[in-house]
Amino acid sequence: DGGITQSPKYLFRKEGQNVTLSCEQNLNHDAMYWYRQDPGQGLRLIYYSQIVNDFQKGDIAEGYSVSREKKESFPLTVTSAQKNPTAFYLCASSRSPAGGAGEQFFGPGTRLTVL
Amino acid sequence: GDSVTQMEGPVTLSEEAFLTINCTYTATGYPSLFWYVQYPGEGLQLLLKATKADDKGSNKGFEATYRKETTSFHLEKGSVQVSDSAVYFCALSDSSYKLIFGSGTRLLVRP
């Protein structure tokens, strides 16, 4: 079955540590996205990538980094510079620009907790 | 910039009641509009979408009509079930790759 996988489902990190969240898709989608969701709030865009080896900052990119070396993979690193990293992180992908009625498909999410 | 405003929740209903979740938007162009649903501990799933004015999106008994004159895309269902309990997000897309989400509305359906 085609879809998006995120791992791990739960992740615990000590303060001062970097941590990388995995996102893989087998939908052959060009575009991939990372969102952050805080309790009772909507989704905020961290980074997005329209094509391999290219990515752009979203609305809250500070303290995060990404890479897009393969079409299928878009890992997110939460660095120690992110002051409040505890949140639910969602990865998504889309076949075409969202403005062309292209919906985004979401993974199951990773819940990151900083201890 | 573009934005989406949803009614605050939680919305609490009894089973078989009628549901409306209001959504209005601000956009400079002609966006596509979406409703996504999030069940506890999961990612988002597309519920329905509409790409131009007067389009009606529908799925699983849910409906929403793209109203350009009122810049609205309200979600409705005639008879809710306990299994509809979830958080519902209204979203729009402009000419870019990005989706802009509302803050979400939690729906609780009691037996």
Side-chain angles (χ1 to χ4, degrees):
Chain A
D1 289 338
I4 300 177
T5 57
Q6 291 186 242
S7 61
K9 188 171 179 63
Y10 299 96
L11 187 57
F12 298 90
R13 189 195 91 176
K14 293 183 179 179
E15 281 194 32
Q17 287 181 336
N18 293 355
V19 63
T20 298
L21 283 60
S22 169
C23 176
E24 303 278 334
Q25 55 98 358
N26 61 3
L27 300 168
N28 199 31
H29 286 173
D30 288 317
M32 298 187 74
Y33 314 79
W34 273 106
Y35 294 91
R36 171 182 171 137
Q37 185 179 23
D38 293 286
Q41 298 187 29
L43 280 67
R44 292 184 290 170
L45 184 64
I46 304 172
Y47 268 97
Y48 64 103
S49 168
Q50 299 176 10
I51 197 169
V52 174
N53 292 323
D54 185 49
F55 48 83
Q56 289 78 41
K57 293 181 178 179
D59 301 318
I60 55 164
E62 184 175 353
Y64 300 97
S65 66
V66 294
S67 63
R68 186 85 188 277
E69 297 177 0
K70 298 187 299 181
K71 187 175 185 177
E72 302 78 21
S73 179
F74 191 42
L76 173 74
T77 297
V78 184
T79 75
S80 56
Q82 169 52 234
K83 299 304 180 187
N84 186 22
T86 294
F88 190 50
Y89 290 87
L90 288 161
C91 180
S93 70
S94 67
R95 179 172 54 244
S96 61
E103 66 188 81
Q104 291 185 15
F105 294 80
F106 284 80
T110 292
R111 186 167 299 281
L112 172 65
T113 302
V114 175
L115 304 174
Chain B
D2 295 355
S3 65
V4 175
T5 302
Q6 289 181 238
M7 62 188 293
E8 288 193 21
V11 174
T12 303
L13 297 173
S14 297
E15 206 165 23
E16 299 183 2
F18 184 86
L19 168 70
T20 299
I21 299 178
N22 290 338
C23 171
T24 57
Y25 67 90
T26 302
T28 53
Y30 301 93
S32 294
L33 301 173
F34 304 83
W35 276 102
Y36 281 84
V37 59
Q38 184 179 35
Y39 298 100
E42 298 183 8
L44 275 67
Q45 302 173 27
L46 179 69
L47 183 59
L48 53 83
K49 67 180 181 184
T51 59
K52 61 183 186 298
D54 299 325
D55 267 3
K56 176 185 284 188
S58 62
N59 185 28
K60 300 181 181 179
F62 291 90
E63 293 182 341
T65 300
Y66 189 140
R67 301 286 189 198
K68 190 171 185 296
E69 63 276 13
T70 55
T71 62
S72 65
F73 193 53
H74 304 321
L75 182 68
E76 297 181 336
K77 186 175 185 183
S79 176
V80 293
Q81 305 300 312
V82 173
S83 57
D84 294 326
S85 297
V87 180
Y88 292 82
F89 291 93
C90 185
L92 70 80
S93 68
D94 54 18
S95 57
S96 73
Y97 277 76
K98 297 191 291 183
L99 278 177
I100 296 170
F101 288 89
S103 57
T105 302
R106 182 175 300 278
L107 170 65
L108 300 173
V109 180
R110 302 193 186 283

